[in-house]
């Protein structure tokens, strides 16, 4: 019987845990993820039970538990992500959401500094009541260039917010992941032209993003593994409407892994106190999204073929059949694990 091992380094413990997982699945192939991008979870205690990892303590006295998520990346290889909890913050794996909040102390409403803000205290009211959608609460990044850079599978994102459920909402800024397309180009019986319909659930843009998700599942296993579906807000509003609380947009939702950026997310990224309406040029003030032309998920209320688009400094109305870029929002599971980085462009957050 092997003696209990004592670990003084969390990194060393994680490396031994990973090796044990890889050996276990190679010796027990029927238990391993079957196809590329498939994943399985195994508890640390399960590996100890089968003799692939010895009993151990952390720094002599701490007992640990944990799990490993394993993704098959090829016929012979796996990617292993481990979570370990040895009883204290210093001796446990770190979740990305916790690291973001630690690096970016929540700033008070009215601050001129870019960073992380409590969305409940900084969003502008529409006067239309409230919504229970978690995408309208939580913590949001504001400012000209906050430290919200994220890199996954060598692809770049900006972190929009940590939502009310603790999931991380990020915006893809990598051209290879984003698309350019009409929002919809079907025949519209009300205009007697192929101007499209602005109903997201039957739109061309929804089809394109559903296809993009399949590409992510096949080609970007770490990203796909950490993604979670959300009830994205696809309701309508007018460009001139007051408020950035998402009440109008979130009256209608669509559950998916990917959606276009919502109009209220653009407004909430601005530090300007004068950003009250979507057509106000002040919304581009100290807003890291101001140079990101894109379709939004929001139809123009009272029309059948117009959609809100992020234009030059303001939100604009555009006919759905026009071509435009699509910046897609994704949601990362609240349990996504932090690997490295501080959110700056030089050292973006990395996950495992």
């Amino acid at each position: 019987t092997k003696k209990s091992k004592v670990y003084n380094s969390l990194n060393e413990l994680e490396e031994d845990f990973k090796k044990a997982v890889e050996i276990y699945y190679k010796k027990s192939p029927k238990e391993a993820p079957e196809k590329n991008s498939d994943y399985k979870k195994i508890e640390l205690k399960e590996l100890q039970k089968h003799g692939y990892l010895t009993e151990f303590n952390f720094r002599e006295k701490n007992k640990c538990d944990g799990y490993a998520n394993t993704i098959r990346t090829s016929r012979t290889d796996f990617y292993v992500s481990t979570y370990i909890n040895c009883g204290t913050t210093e001796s446990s794996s770190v979740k990305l959401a916790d690291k973001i909040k630690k690096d970016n102390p929540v700033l008070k409403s009215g601050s001129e500094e870019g960073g992380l803000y409590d969305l409940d205290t900084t969003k502008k009211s529409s006067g239309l009541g409230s919504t229970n959608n978690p995408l309208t609460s939580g913590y949001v990044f504001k400012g000209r260039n906050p430290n919200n850079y994220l890199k996954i599978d060598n692809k770049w994102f900006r972190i929009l917010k940590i939502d009310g459920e603790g999931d991380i909402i990020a915006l893809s800024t990598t051209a290879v992941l984003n698309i350019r397309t009409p929002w919809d180009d079907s025949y519209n019986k009300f205009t007697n032209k192929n101007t499209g319909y602005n109903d997201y659930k039957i739109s061309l843009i929804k089809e394109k993003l559903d296809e993009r998700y399949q590409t992510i599942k096949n080609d970007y296993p770490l990203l796909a593994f950490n993604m979670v579906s959300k009830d994205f807000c696809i309701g309508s509003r007018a460009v001139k409407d007051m408020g950035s609380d998402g009440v109008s947009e979130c009256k209608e939702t669509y559950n998916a892994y990917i959606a276009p950026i919502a109009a209220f997310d653009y407004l909430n990224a601005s530090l300007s106190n004068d950003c009250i309406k979507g057509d106000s040029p002040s919304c581009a003030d100290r807003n890291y999204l101001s140079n990101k032309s894109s379709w939004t998920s929001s139809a123009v209320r009272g029309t059948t073929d117009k959609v809100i688009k992020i234009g030059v400094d303001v939100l604009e109305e555009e006919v759905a059949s026009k071509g435009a870029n699509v910046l897609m929002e994704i949601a990362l599971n609240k349990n996504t694990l932090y690997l490295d980085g501080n959110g700056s462009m030089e050292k973006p957050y990395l996950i495992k």
Side-chain angles (χ1 to χ4, degrees):
T1 304
K2 293 183 179 179
K3 295 182 180 179
S4 293
K5 184 172 182 176
V6 176
Y7 287 96
N8 291 306
S9 163
L10 189 62
N11 287 339
E12 182 186 0
L13 171 53
E14 288 185 325
E15 284 303 312
D16 281 0
F17 191 5
K18 287 180 184 178
K19 290 175 184 176
V21 172
E22 290 171 353
I23 292 170
Y24 170 70
Y25 282 133
K26 285 180 178 178
K27 288 190 174 182
S28 308
K30 290 184 178 180
E31 301 297 326
E34 185 177 354
K35 299 178 293 186
N36 279 10
S37 299
D38 282 357
Y39 64 87
K40 281 196 173 182
K41 178 179 178 179
I42 187 168
E43 299 292 331
L44 184 152
K45 290 178 180 178
E46 187 72 11
L47 290 176
Q48 290 177 322
K49 175 182 172 182
H50 291 292
Y52 289 92
L53 196 63
T54 61
E55 294 291 329
F56 65 86
N57 290 333
F58 188 82
R59 294 178 183 167
E60 297 191 358
K61 58 182 180 180
N62 291 48
K63 294 288 185 180
C64 306
D65 60 19
Y67 58 83
N69 291 311
T70 303
I71 311 166
R72 182 176 286 281
T73 56
S74 72
R75 189 174 61 84
T76 57
D77 296 317
F78 305 101
Y79 178 88
V80 181
S81 173
T82 59
Y83 174 76
I84 294 172
N85 184 343
C86 295
T88 66
T89 302
E90 296 75 19
S91 62
S92 300
S93 303
V94 178
K95 294 180 180 179
L96 179 60
D98 292 335
K99 177 62 173 171
I100 292 169
K101 288 186 279 190
K102 182 179 179 181
D103 290 346
N104 300 273
V106 177
L107 298 166
K108 292 184 179 180
S109 179
S111 173
E112 295 296 309
E113 185 181 354
L116 197 64
Y117 286 78
D118 186 336
L119 190 50
D120 286 332
T121 63
T122 58
K123 62 190 178 186
K124 308 295 193 303
S125 174
S126 64
L128 299 174
S130 62
T131 172
N132 294 323
N133 191 300
L135 292 173
T136 64
S137 61
Y139 303 96
V140 62
F141 275 104
K142 294 175 175 284
R144 184 175 289 110
N145 193 31
N147 288 330
N148 62 346
Y149 289 90
L150 171 68
K151 206 172 184 182
I152 309 174
D153 282 328
N154 211 32
K155 302 296 177 284
W156 286 89
F157 297 83
R158 300 298 292 268
I159 299 166
L160 290 171
K161 57 193 169 187
I162 301 170
D163 77 4
E165 292 180 328
D167 294 326
I168 298 159
I169 310 302
L171 187 74
S172 170
T173 56
T174 297
V176 71
L177 285 183
N178 293 327
I179 59 175
R180 182 177 178 83
T181 181
W183 207 89
D184 189 59
D185 60 0
S186 57
Y187 176 76
N188 185 315
K189 68 179 182 180
F190 298 101
T191 63
N192 291 319
K193 297 178 183 177
N194 289 89
T195 53
Y197 283 103
N198 57 9
D199 181 345
Y200 186 79
K201 293 178 180 178
I202 60 171
S203 67
L204 176 63
I205 197 172
K206 184 198 84 71
E207 290 181 15
K208 294 286 187 182
L209 290 180
D210 287 347
E211 291 171 3
R212 181 61 43 162
Y213 176 59
Q214 293 305 314
T215 299
I216 289 172
K217 284 181 66 177
N218 293 332
D219 298 342
Y220 305 101
L222 182 59
L223 174 58
F225 167 73
N226 283 286
M227 288 171 66
V228 62
S229 65
K230 301 293 289 187
D231 287 332
F232 286 104
C233 302
I234 60 168
S236 63
R237 68 173 286 160
V239 166
K240 296 180 181 294
D241 279 354
M242 303 282 285
S244 61
D245 54 16
V247 173
S248 291
E249 294 94 320
C250 294
K251 283 183 178 178
E252 186 176 2
T253 61
Y254 178 71
N255 188 269
Y257 286 89
I258 301 174
I261 182 173
F264 71 96
D265 281 329
Y266 171 77
L267 304 180
N268 281 321
S270 172
L271 267 178
S272 174
N273 288 325
D274 296 324
C275 179
I276 299 174
K277 298 193 298 179
D279 62 349
S280 171
S282 64
C283 292
D285 181 27
R286 290 162 296 166
N287 184 340
Y288 68 96
L289 297 176
S290 63
N291 62 345
K292 309 288 187 189
S293 175
S294 172
W295 285 121
T296 72
S297 59
S298 310
V300 176
R301 189 176 64 248
T303 71
T304 62
D305 67 340
K306 290 183 179 178
V307 182
I308 295 175
K309 188 180 81 170
I310 300 173
V312 179
D313 296 341
V314 295
L315 296 180
E316 301 173 342
E317 295 184 4
E318 185 63 272
V319 176
S321 56
K322 299 287 187 180
N325 294 325
V326 184
L327 296 176
M328 65 181 192
E329 287 188 5
I330 65 164
L332 299 177
N333 190 300
K334 61 186 176 183
N335 294 317
T336 296
L337 296 175
Y338 166 80
L339 177 62
D340 198 9
N342 59 15
S344 66
M345 190 172 185
E346 296 74 24
K347 292 188 68 178
Y349 288 119
L350 304 177
I351 66 171
K352 64 177 185 176

